[in-house]
Amino acid sequence: MDGADQLIEDIYDAVTFPERWGGVLERLCALTDATHGFLFTAAPRHDSLTAALWARHNITDRQLTDYTTHFRHRDVWANAAAARGLLNRCVVRRGEELVPDAVLRRSAFFNELLRDHGMGRLCALTLSDGGELSSVQPVLSLHRPSDASPFPDETVRLLQDCAPHLQRAMRLRVRLLAGRDGREEARWNGRAIDRLPLGVVLLDTAGRVTGLNRAGQAMVDARDGLRLVQGRLQAEQGGDARRLVHLLEEAVSSGGKGASARIAPL
């Protein structure tokens, strides 16, 4: 079995064994001379369902935390793709086709995140299908260092060839998650949230804390500026306290109608 055939088999295996998505990204990186691989959802909401669809290769917990906490909405590539309507289509684009190198290198996204981690060249496949995947807007991105050559046409063709298989696998995964009964889904989502390296707090509609994932609980237990007071999360420093209140209020107000809990990253 050659590399491309094995890749397609791995993609479908990942539907029922989501921990294998990292292996899919690793194989794609090996086939394209990429150094990093990232599967994420570009949808505005970031909840347990979208988080359960994320995967990475050679991206550290710290990088992921920095991205989700500080740079997700400052991602100049994703913002450019959104402005051109590409997040709602199935297309492949290289980084320099989205944002000129000069613009990228002036951005905080590059100077404060990408450059220090050996990233700067991009080839990305947006996987939205106009149907089931539109609400999550999955994106698969491959990265190289900024001083490497741009991704060649062969990489573009490989991602285009993989796109139907990746879309089908993602649709099946979304259906599996949505099709679980409430109790099983809650258990699965709890495990998914617990695996996130960033702290996550679950809030009811009044902003009271109903749960914390392991990372969030560790932050509270460390007593290093964050505490729980009468069921509400508080920061001890004045500036941090104001920012935290704003973050939690935003998480509560952005929840869907009828939802009993909201999720906020810490």
Side-chain angles (χ1 to χ4, degrees):
M1 181 179 296
D2 64 26
D5 288 340
Q6 182 62 57
L7 174 61
I8 292 171
E9 183 173 310
D10 290 347
I11 288 169
Y12 287 114
D13 281 346
V15 174
T16 49
F17 299 98
E19 65 275 9
R20 297 184 184 178
W21 277 112
V24 171
L25 293 171
E26 182 177 10
R27 188 173 292 277
L28 273 169
C29 287
L31 290 170
T32 60
D33 290 327
T35 54
H36 303 72
F38 194 21
L39 176 65
F40 66 101
T41 53
R45 83 177 198 272
H46 187 59
D47 54 21
S48 57
L49 173 61
T50 56
L53 298 173
W54 286 39
R56 53 195 161 120
H57 169 64
N58 204 26
I59 292 176
T60 66
D61 288 352
R62 176 61 183 272
Q63 284 174 267
L64 182 62
T65 299
D66 285 348
Y67 181 79
T68 55
T69 305
H70 303 295
F71 292 101
R72 186 163 181 257
H73 300 295
R74 300 162 70 189
D75 183 335
V76 295
W77 287 322
N79 290 341
R84 294 164 60 179
L86 300 179
L87 295 179
N88 297 313
R89 298 162 51 194
C90 183
V91 295
V92 180
R93 288 291 186 272
R94 284 167 280 212
E96 53 273 17
E97 295 171 332
L98 295 170
V99 177
D101 280 349
V103 174
L104 174 69
R105 290 168 186 267
R106 288 196 301 268
S107 69
F109 179 58
F110 175 78
N111 288 292
E112 298 176 25
L113 181 69
L114 297 180
R115 184 174 59 184
D116 290 345
H117 296 289
M119 303 164 72
R121 294 292 186 187
L122 168 76
C123 191
L125 166 64
T126 54
L127 288 162
S128 190
D129 58 359
E132 292 174 85
L133 299 180
S134 297
S135 62
V136 293
Q137 294 180 329
V139 178
L140 189 150
S141 61
L142 302 176
H143 299 266
R144 288 177 174 175
S146 57
D147 58 357
S149 60
F151 283 94
D153 292 344
E154 289 80 359
T155 299
V156 173
R157 287 193 290 270
L158 175 62
L159 291 182
Q160 288 172 336
D161 289 344
C162 289
H165 306 289
L166 287 163
Q167 280 187 313
R168 188 177 184 201
M170 294 296 290
R171 280 195 293 266
L172 291 171
R173 187 69 193 142
V174 168
R175 290 174 193 172
L176 282 174
L177 293 175
R180 297 172 185 268
D181 63 68
R183 182 178 300 176
E184 184 180 358
E185 184 175 6
R187 287 198 301 269
W188 195 94
N189 286 340
R191 292 196 297 271
I193 293 171
D194 258 346
R195 289 197 295 268
L196 291 175
L198 70 157
V200 174
V201 57
L202 307 179
L203 307 172
D204 64 16
T205 54
R208 292 182 295 268
V209 175
T210 62
L212 290 161
N213 72 341
R214 291 179 185 175
Q217 188 64 57
M219 293 168 69
V220 172
D221 292 344
R223 298 183 180 179
D224 189 24
L226 199 64
R227 61 186 179 179
L228 277 174
V229 179
Q230 297 181 342
R232 295 183 182 275
L233 199 63
Q234 295 182 359
E236 295 179 356
Q237 301 297 323
D240 291 339
R242 288 189 293 273
R243 285 191 292 272
L244 181 61
V245 167
H246 176 72
L247 172 67
L248 298 180
E249 288 177 348
E250 187 177 44
V252 170
S253 65
S254 64
K257 292 183 178 180
S260 58
R262 278 70 165 143
I263 297 175
L266 299 177

